[in-house]
Amino acid sequence: MQNIPVIYILSDSVGETGEVVVKAAASQFDSGKVDIRRVPYLRSSVEVEDAVLEAAEAKAAIVYTLVRPDLCQSLIHKADELGVPCVDVMGPVLDVLKRITHTVPKAEPGLMRKLDEAYFSRLEAIDFAVKYDDGKQTNGLVKADIIIIGVSRTSKTPLSMYLATRGFKTANIPLVPEVSPPEDLFKLPSSKIFGLTIQPSLLLEIRQERLKTMGLPTGSDYANPERILEELDYSTRIMRKLGCPIIEVTNRAIEETAARIEEIFRKGANRI
């Protein structure tokens, strides 16, 4: 019966990269079977040397993705001393990038994982923004980083989605005179709530265009100048009651409004 080769993955991070490489290489052989033993989060030369000794006792080979030069040197020295074959996965690529960029690598473990975590954090924020769009869900507002409030057609949804791509869990709630805002809104810190306001004349144009695209008459109450003034007045009263920042979005790009919100949010300010 053929012995299954043993490969130790030594890493100062998780070791996923080394494992993926070994599995890809193993798939090129008939059985494709390999006993992979990960030794992650190596932080000292002593830990590295102990792992190499363990690999030697198992008659294994080593694949390593260490980015700290001192740990690499310890591994190479110990592996050479014990006659353990080893392969550096990261080193050759780092050397090439170093030559073509004329810069020095950070030699900081786990940077790729940090990037992955940021990516999944953005996905989670986008999922949150969809779930809490347009007041569809109000239970759990406390989980939001940012809450956008305002009357219809003040770009709450696109703004929420844009902020979500920036990693902020964003909810948005429409303000309508006939519907009271959720009670939870008044229990939250005003610094995480942002009110949007807009010039009545522009809002009228936007709503009229919206009705046209929907094939509805432009003379409906939705695009009535008096109704718009009533809604804006109501929304301003709610925002003042909350004590939240109020941002004028007239002729402002989504990115510009988002940047302003981020600035206030990061400073922890609760007024403009």
Side-chain angles (χ1 to χ4, degrees), residues 199-263:
Q199 289 297 315
S201 57
L202 179 59
L203 183 56
L204 176 62
E205 290 178 21
I206 293 171
R207 289 191 176 183
Q208 286 175 338
E209 282 300 315
R210 175 64 173 165
L211 290 172
K212 285 180 184 177
T213 59
M214 295 175 67
L216 299 173
T218 56
S220 70
D221 198 39
Y222 182 70
N224 180 290
E226 291 183 4
R227 169 65 182 184
I228 285 174
L229 288 173
E230 179 189 351
E231 288 185 35
L232 289 172
D233 181 62
Y234 170 77
S235 68
T236 300
R237 291 201 307 273
I238 293 296
M239 293 170 196
R240 286 175 178 166
K241 184 176 180 181
L242 289 166
C244 67
I246 301 175
I247 298 178
E248 170 68 57
V249 299
T250 303
N251 297 324
R252 241 181 180 169
I254 295 294
E255 295 83 357
E256 187 181 355
T257 303
R260 186 73 180 111
I261 288 174
E262 280 193 52
E263 179 188 358

Side-chain angles (χ1 to χ4, degrees), residues 58-74:
K59 295 182 172 52
I62 292 174
V63 170
Y64 63 97
T65 56
L66 301 169
V67 295
R68 280 178 47 186
D70 59 321
L71 297 186
C72 287
Q73 288 302 315
S74 295

